[in-house]
Amino acid sequence: YSNFIDDLRVYVRGGTGGMGYPNLGGEGGRGGDVWFVARERTTLKSISDKYPQKRFVAGTGANSSVKALKGEKGKDCEVHVPLGISVLDDDGKQIGELNAAGERFLAARGGLGGSLATNFLPCKGQRRTVHLDLKLIADVGLVGFPNAGKSSLLSKISHAKPEIANYAFTTIQPELGKIKYVDYKQISVADLPGLIEGAHANKGMGHKFLKHVERTKQLLLVVDISGFQLSIKTQFRTAFETILLLTKELELYKEELVTKPALLAINKMDLPCAKNNLDELMTQLENPQGFLHLVEEEMIPANTLEFREVIPISTYTGEGIEELKTCIRKSIDEQAEQVNEEYRKKKLLLLQTSK
């Protein structure tokens, strides 16, 4: 991913408690805690650059004394992390999640101060190694094989300026852009590194790509109408086969991904024979079961994606771009309304049962 970091291993240690005062029964102050705090405009790379040792230690609690029988608590250590962070322990088990600005997670608790219960000796703070795993949060995630035109599309619909070139794997790190509408509504779109066959098994960019799809609200599949071939050593895939393969890779990585609302953008409609290819593809999409015999059995997903809209576009001529932006807005608004409706029903049900 070049300069982009989406996983960071850090050491955290809570502060040691302060000494107790046996003669007067004084209690030492508790050690400080280590907190992860979600903050916008923060990256894991900035944390890595600022703290190359990747060690975060909270302050020691104050000792009990004649002047202060109850020692003061040690200073907390706050680490600002980006939104969309999962906190994992060394065994890979998720122990926390930070998705909104201001959310906090207690990474390491400070030790108790010395008291009668501890024979007036202080306790050490909690210490452990944790992984900060970043999954980008975006409204829409662009999904497609390399060179399908995702970067070009992002540059057309938003103010992002991703690298664009005519070779596979132009995008080697996620790019985020925002679609801005006339009523000032903004929708975030993530252009994610291109999938290849076998990505679910971590081939190519594999899991580095697929984990970022998890936190997007909707999927926008971008498919080349003329088909796709990664290299002369790999098999050529038609647009229909490409859609099946993309669905299969998402499904094999995590089944829930194919239940997300999805749109389909058919790119490169400026190419010769694009119209004939589109007519054939639409026929196949209307009845996918009738054409599954054309592909290998291992390519067939258990559940085919149901697209809310299929929009033919050309990032070269600009054809269909405005229609696509309108469809994205409509789909996001409908999903938000659906979520609100479910929330209202849930609250109503709670009120009724409480009565």
Side-chain angles (χ1 to χ4, degrees), residues 140 153 157 179-183 185 187 218 220 263 308-309 311 313 320-334:
V140 180
L153 178 59
I157 62 178
I179 309 175
K180 296 181 180 178
Y181 294 89
V182 289
D183 61 352
K185 166 88 172 179
I187 291 175
Q218 299 196 3
L220 173 57
L263 301 170
R308 292 187 169 193
E309 298 279 352
I311 310 100
I313 63 166
I321 297 297
E322 287 305 314
E323 184 191 347
L324 176 61
K325 286 165 72 172
T326 304
C327 287
I328 292 172
R329 171 71 185 270
K330 182 186 171 194
S331 185
I332 289 288
D333 287 349
E334 284 175 356

Side-chain angles (χ1 to χ4, degrees), residues 331-344:
S331 185
I332 289 288
D333 287 349
E334 284 175 356
Q335 187 182 13
E337 183 55 40
Q338 189 179 343
V339 170
N340 288 339
E341 185 60 34
E342 286 171 5
Y343 177 76
R344 283 196 291 268

Side-chain angles (χ1 to χ4, degrees), residues 143-145 195 221-223 242-250:
V143 177
F145 283 137
L195 277 166
L221 267 67
V222 185
V223 172
T242 301
I243 293 165
L244 291 178
L245 270 171
L246 288 170
T247 308
K248 185 72 173 176
E249 290 300 333
L250 293 170

Side-chain angles (χ1 to χ4, degrees), residues 191-211:
D191 171 24
L192 305 157
L195 277 166
I196 60 169
E197 289 182 51
H200 70 278
N202 217 11
K203 287 185 183 177
M205 294 188 178
H207 297 173
K208 282 273 191 185
F209 160 81
L210 285 163
K211 72 173 188 177

Side-chain angles (χ1 to χ4, degrees), residues 125 150 155 283:
K150 300 189 303 298
S155 68
T283 304

Side-chain angles (χ1 to χ4, degrees), residues 282-330:
M282 293 306 288
T283 304
Q284 292 167 326
L285 288 175
E286 281 168 15
N287 179 27
Q289 299 299 324
F291 296 91
L292 294 180
H293 65 278
L294 300 173
V295 298
E296 301 97 313
E297 194 175 332
E298 59 269 18
M299 280 176 57
I300 302 170
N303 299 291
T304 51
L305 275 170
E306 291 185 16
F307 300 107
R308 292 187 169 193
E309 298 279 352
V310 179
I311 310 100
I313 63 166
S314 167
T315 54
Y316 181 71
T317 64
E319 175 195 340
I321 297 297
E322 287 305 314
E323 184 191 347
L324 176 61
K325 286 165 72 172
T326 304
C327 287
I328 292 172
R329 171 71 185 270
K330 182 186 171 194

Side-chain angles (χ1 to χ4, degrees), residues 40-54:
E40 291 178 346
R41 296 185 181 84
T42 304
T43 64
L44 289 182
K45 187 176 186 308
S46 66
I47 298 172
S48 181
D49 291 345
K50 192 174 179 182
Y51 307 99
Q53 300 295 322
K54 303 176 187 67

